[in-house]
Amino acid sequence: MIVLGIESSCDETAAAVVCDGHEVRSSVVASQVAVHHPYGGVVPELASRKHIEAIVPVVNGAVAKAGITADQIDGVAVTQGPGLVGSLLVGFSFAKGFAYAHKIPWIGVDHLEGHIDSVFLEPNPPPFPFVALLVSGGHTSIYHVTSHQDFHPLGQTRDDAAGEAYDKVAKMLGLGYPGGEVIDRLAAQGDPEKFFFTRPFLDKEQFDFSFSGIKTAVSRHVQTHPKTYQEDQTHIAAGFQAAVVEVLSYKIIHAARKKGCRHLAVVGGVAANRGLRTIVTRDAADAGITVHIPSLDLCGDNAAMVAAVGYHRLKAGERAGMDEDVYSRVRLRPAIDG
Ligand code: KG4
Ligand code: ZN
């Protein structure tokens, strides 16, 4: 089954053609980073307008790159939420129109499920059940994943997402937006022990996170060292990254142990972080757990992951109606007892 995936929840307009839920025939991502960079964050109104400009060429590009024609597509999967409503509506409305015009089924997909399913686009995907750490600019959560349809949230951040903390720290250090990649690069050149930032473990038995404290600690350091913080950028980045990565790695490995899973996944934009990839892989190997992290181009927002989720839904006979609407808030919330 050939599925066209469409993603426009934030500041990336993306389309992809995926065969049978795992074979990526094409994946096109039009980034709006240059548009939002001067503002230090995503400006929702600008994002919607850019999606409108990009959606047709991006979809046409994905279809052409896949070496197919539009009438060979069997179904459409599109991000329904969570995200910016104005942005979501562009991809969502386009998908509805495309499916209607081509008389094919379509389905709305949760963006977070998309990130989790990105591991199925790689060779040797994890067997069920496994635990997944979703770390992105908007979310930081842990799930127990028991099937393509069943994601049980175990914990989430109580304040900032990990990617958000990276972006805010980058801003404090004058490194621009988005900041995750830059901090990651600087951290590799710094001494992680020169400045120690307290690890926000919260309860070590639970899977909730908190990153606002460490962000404030970096801010305090910058304020109290106005003359030296610029030249210490690499060490501050290294100290910050060491603290964040230690907590993320500890919690996902602990979740795997607690749930008796031999496999874990790390997904989302921050899964591109070299420090995180190295530490999780090392510590999980010590615990006899296999780690699955998508290749870099599948960590950030993309439409191949949306098509992967959509494939399973469409195959199971699920169909969306034309009265469906987008949603802005997270639906995958932790259950009371995890
Ligand atoms: O998944 P994503 O593309 O969008 C959301 O769904 O939020 O994640 C974007 C986030 C940004 O906060 C960005 O700074 C962060 O991922 N990021 C990184 C790295 N590359 C991107 N954070 C840390 N290290 C990286 N190498
Ligand atoms: Zn995302």
Side-chain angles (χ1 to χ4, degrees):
M1 184 195 287
I2 296 180
V3 175
L4 170 68
I6 295 176
E7 152 67 40
S8 69
S9 65
C10 190
D11 60 346
E12 251 108 34
T13 320
V17 173
V18 177
C19 195
D20 295 337
H22 64 90
E23 188 196 325
V24 183
R25 295 274 186 92
S26 67
S27 177
V28 176
V29 180
S31 169
Q32 300 180 1
V33 163
V35 176
H36 303 290
H37 183 88
Y39 304 96
V42 177
V43 183
E45 176 62 24
L46 287 180
S48 315
R49 292 188 206 182
K50 287 289 156 191
H51 283 307
I52 290 172
E53 284 171 26
I55 189 78
V56 172
V58 164
V59 170
N60 286 346
V63 172
K65 263 194 170 167
I68 60 166
T69 53
D71 53 13
Q72 287 175 273
I73 295 167
D74 300 307
V76 183
V78 60
T79 305
Q80 189 164 8
L84 300 169
V85 166
S87 291
L88 286 162
L89 274 172
V90 178
F92 202 67
S93 310
F94 182 92
K96 274 186 189 177
F98 187 96
Y100 184 77
H102 291 271
K103 300 188 175 59
I104 52 174
W106 69 286
I107 192 87
V109 164
D110 189 281
H111 181 82
L112 309 187
E113 289 190 27
H115 275 300
I116 295 168
D117 261 15
S118 61
V119 285
F120 294 103
L121 299 167
E122 298 291 352
N124 307 315
F128 296 111
F130 62 92
V131 289
L133 170 67
L134 164 63
V135 260
S136 71
H139 312 278
T140 298
S141 334
I142 288 182
Y143 300 91
H144 185 222
V145 186
T146 53
S147 80
H148 280 293
Q149 279 75 38
D150 299 297
F151 307 87
H152 309 281
L154 300 178
Q156 65 181 356
T157 181
R158 295 183 185 172
D159 39 60
D160 292 352
E164 195 179 347
Y166 265 94
D167 294 338
K168 287 177 179 167
V169 164
K171 205 169 175 178
M172 287 171 207
L173 297 175
L175 301 170
Y177 170 87
E181 215 274 320
V182 192
I183 299 253
D184 191 10
R185 209 164 352 103
L186 289 179
Q189 301 157 28
D191 174 2
E193 280 161 25
K194 181 148 188 198
F195 303 115
F196 182 85
F197 296 105
T198 307
R199 277 61 172 145
F201 280 111
L202 302 176
D203 181 342
K204 276 197 155 184
E205 286 304 309
Q206 297 298 318
F207 304 109
D208 278 355
F209 299 94
S210 169
F211 294 108
S212 76
I214 187 167
K215 176 194 71 188
T216 309
V218 175
S219 163
R220 211 174 305 121
H221 181 96
V222 168
Q223 278 163 16
T224 51
H225 300 78
K227 295 211 175 77
T228 53
Y229 84 87
Q230 289 285 7
E231 70 203 48
D232 282 339
Q233 263 179 357
T234 56
H235 306 309
I236 297 171
F240 165 76
Q241 175 147 312
V244 172
V245 163
E246 192 179 320
V247 172
L248 291 172
S249 178
Y250 173 85
K251 295 235 173 192
I252 188 60
I253 291 169
H254 191 56
R257 280 209 181 103
K258 206 164 168 189
K259 288 290 171 186
C261 294
R262 309 308 303 162
H263 293 259
L264 69 80
V266 184
V267 298
V270 183
N273 186 272
R274 279 166 287 181
L276 179 60
R277 295 171 89 96
T278 307
I279 300 294
V280 174
T281 306
R282 185 197 68 192
D283 293 354
D286 290 347
I289 295 162
T290 306
V291 174
H292 304 261
I293 311 179
S295 51
L296 295 186
D297 53 345
L298 291 173
C299 288
D301 288 347
N302 67 85
M305 66 187 197
V306 175
V309 178
Y311 163 76
H312 295 283
R313 294 273 165 78
L314 292 167
K315 202 173 135 219
E318 271 189 61
R319 302 288 184 260
M322 284 295 163
D323 56 346
E324 286 279 339
D325 203 355
V326 299
Y327 54 89
S328 61
R329 307 291 292 259
V330 176
R331 283 190 174 170
L332 290 170
R333 291 212 170 276
I336 306 294
D337 61 358

